[in-house]
Amino acid sequence: MQANPKMILVLNCGSSSLKGALLDSEHGELVLSCLAEKLTTPDAYITFSYADNPKALPADRDSWFIGRHAGEKHRVELGEKNDHTGAVEALLEELKSHDLQSLVAAIGHRVVHGGEKYSASVLLTDDVIATLEECIPLAPLHNPANLTGIEAARTIFPGLPNVGVFDTAFHQTMPEHAYTYAVPRELYHKYGLRRYGFHGTSYRYVAQEAADMLGKDLKDTALIVAHLGNGASVAAILGGESKDTSMGLTPLEGLVMGTRSGDIDPGAFTFIEAATGLSAKEVNDMLNKKSGLLGISELSNDMRTIQEAAAEGHEGAKLALEITAYRLAKYIAAMSVATGRLDALVFTGGIGENSSLIRAKTIGYLGILGLKLDEAANEATRFGKAGIITQAGSMPCAMVVPTNEERMIAFDTRQLSGLGN
């Protein structure tokens, strides 16, 4: 172990939350993670969690750190400093308390929307930040929070390089016929109305991992990847490039999600307004925050709760599961048009990695693709385990590959900040 390993701090800012991770720059090993919640409210707090085996620490600090802090988790109330800046300040104080702050060499930021400007991660200069501000109309809920986190990091960690890693960048390889909406072209040329796609950082990481598991060169693979969490999408990835994806201008399009409706007839917007008296903004909020699993089940947006209730006979929960799997299977079959062939269907994300039930239901709808589930392998492949879940020798196969967006962001940050030279 080197005497003073260089660390990457990864930040992912939501409208009322901040996720952070400290990783070593060489191997992407996690040392510390944190989650700030309820930001901008009096109840705001941040929770710190330490890795069970922080291999990346200097040799002279290993035994001290592991003995006192391995696996430790503790919560800090943010009090009056209850915004993103306060959360980053609390993170700095945590690092200082363990003499880790001097090891931070660069900061990587998840940025949701880079528009058409960015097809790869970039160093965050004043000009880049100005461009991201121009993208705010494309992601009004996400980009302002991302920019707030960037500004906080630049202020609290002065002099360190900051790198932006964009959810949309990976999908800039989609062909024009895949990203164009059938609306007047003026809307695209004047306002950028088109399909952009999201979860790109996850797709990049998982595609390479899947190719490695298959023993194939990434450039010679045809994959359909389902990133399933509270937000969910599917991507067609051919030769390591995105050819199509289910999310569009915003993360609302596509699959049934935790609280998002996914695809819905555009005419439903005016229908709902007229029927309920809700404003356009209120309808948008309903489709983003009160629909999906929550709306169908009238119970919860949490897949674990839905599955437990369905097992007990809850009709809304059973319907939510069936719609979710059916819609997912339809999109997977559609994505095979974009790839032209298929080596593997890959499940990832919190639900994709852990819900053997959703995987089984989805594959059950996909006999047309020749997928044959191995029930024992499907049940065994959960909680961080990767593996093939279809019958031996059957092609194409289906597999589970855990994602690691923080590691992908750290690797990009390492490269662009010069730490990899």
Side-chain angles (χ1 to χ4, degrees):
M1 177 60 63
Q2 55 184 307
N4 291 295
K6 295 176 180 178
M7 299 282 175
I8 304 292
L9 183 61
V10 174
L11 296 179
N12 177 358
C13 293
S15 58
S16 60
S17 66
L18 179 147
K19 294 179 182 178
L22 183 69
L23 307 95
D24 85 286
S25 64
E26 186 172 358
H27 302 294
E29 293 285 351
L30 179 69
V31 173
L32 162 71
S33 62
C34 67
L35 175 61
E37 301 180 87
K38 298 184 179 181
L39 295 180
T40 70
T41 76
D43 300 324
Y45 64 92
I46 185 167
T47 303
F48 297 99
S49 304
Y50 287 89
D52 290 329
N53 185 18
K55 300 174 184 176
L57 289 175
D60 62 355
R61 251 181 272 183
D62 274 352
S63 59
W64 167 83
F65 188 91
I66 292 172
R68 293 180 55 190
H69 301 286
E72 176 185 307
K73 181 181 289 189
H74 70 101
R75 169 171 160 165
V76 175
E77 304 296 329
L78 293 177
E80 294 182 358
K81 294 186 176 181
N82 62 358
D83 57 9
H84 290 84
T85 301
V88 177
E89 287 178 352
L91 174 55
L92 175 60
E93 290 305 311
E94 184 70 17
L95 296 176
K96 284 181 175 179
S97 70
H98 301 306
D99 196 22
L100 295 174
Q101 82 286 354
S102 62
L103 302 181
V104 179
I107 304 172
H109 299 265
R110 179 203 179 205
V111 181
V112 168
H113 220 306
E116 290 185 315
K117 180 70 175 178
Y118 300 109
S119 58
S121 304
V122 296
L123 278 169
L124 291 168
T125 64
D126 290 341
D127 288 343
V128 171
I129 289 171
T131 301
L132 296 182
E133 290 173 346
E134 294 173 3
C135 291
I136 287 176
L138 295 173
L141 299 177
H142 297 89
N143 269 33
N146 299 157
L147 286 163
T148 298
I150 291 166
E151 191 55 42
R154 294 175 93 194
T155 300
I156 294 166
F157 294 89
L160 293 184
N162 286 261
V163 170
V165 181
F166 306 96
D167 272 14
T168 51
F170 180 69
H171 299 296
Q172 285 299 298
T173 54
M174 285 195 298
E176 189 174 27
H177 64 260
Y179 70 69
T180 300
Y181 285 119
V183 296
R185 289 291 280 162
E186 180 183 33
L187 294 173
Y188 167 65
H189 294 303
K190 279 191 175 182
Y191 309 111
L193 178 63
R194 52 157 284 182
R195 304 182 67 251
Y196 289 96
F198 300 88
H199 294 138
T201 305
S202 175
Y203 286 129
R204 268 202 301 148
Y205 181 85
V206 168
Q208 183 62 64
E209 291 289 305
D212 291 345
M213 286 177 60
L214 292 169
K216 296 174 68 72
D217 186 325
L218 179 61
K219 294 185 180 299
D220 188 36
T221 59
L223 306 171
I224 297 174
V225 183
H227 177 107
L228 309 177
N230 194 52
S233 65
V234 177
I237 303 175
L238 184 64
E241 294 186 345
S242 174
K243 297 302 178 184
D244 203 350
T245 191
S246 58
M247 284 180 170
L249 173 72
T250 74
L252 182 59
E253 186 178 350
L255 304 177
V256 173
M257 304 176 225
T259 62
R260 298 177 197 149
S261 65
D263 289 346
I264 186 171
D265 182 347
F269 280 77
T270 52
F271 176 85
I272 295 170
E273 284 183 59
T276 65
L278 295 175
S279 67
K281 181 182 182 303
E282 288 170 330
V283 173
N284 187 64
D285 285 346
M286 174 194 291
L287 296 177
N288 273 284
K289 300 176 182 179
K290 299 178 182 178
S291 301
L293 293 176
L294 175 62
I296 299 167
S297 70
E298 299 182 307
L299 181 67
S300 175
N301 68 308
D302 191 303
M303 180 58 77
R304 293 163 296 188
T305 302
I306 296 294
Q307 289 187 182
E308 290 169 2
E312 295 171 358
H314 189 287
E315 293 300 324
K318 290 195 290 184
L319 181 61
L321 287 177
E322 213 59 47
I323 293 172
T324 296
Y326 176 69
R327 182 85 65 87
L328 173 58
K330 282 175 60 178
Y331 255 106
I332 290 168
M335 288 295 157
S336 67
V337 174
T339 59
R341 60 186 179 86
L342 183 61
D343 293 314
L345 166 62
V346 186
F347 292 93
T348 193
I351 295 172
E353 294 169 28
N354 297 309
S355 178
S356 55
L357 177 62
I358 284 295
R359 297 193 304 245
K361 281 182 170 292
T362 302
I363 290 173
Y365 279 116
L366 289 170
I368 192 170
L369 296 182
L371 295 166
K372 299 176 182 178
L373 185 69
D374 181 325
E375 294 183 8
N378 185 41
E379 289 300 324
T381 311
R382 301 171 65 197
F383 309 123
K385 294 181 181 178
I388 292 175
I389 59 172
T390 40
Q391 296 175 18
S394 66
M395 288 298 292
C397 69
M399 59 171 60
V400 176
V401 178
T403 191
N404 194 326
E405 293 170 280
E406 289 79 12
R407 179 174 286 184
M408 192 80 256
I409 293 170
F411 286 160
D412 282 5
T413 302
R414 173 180 183 260
Q415 190 65 34
L416 288 167
S417 61
L419 299 177
N421 299 332

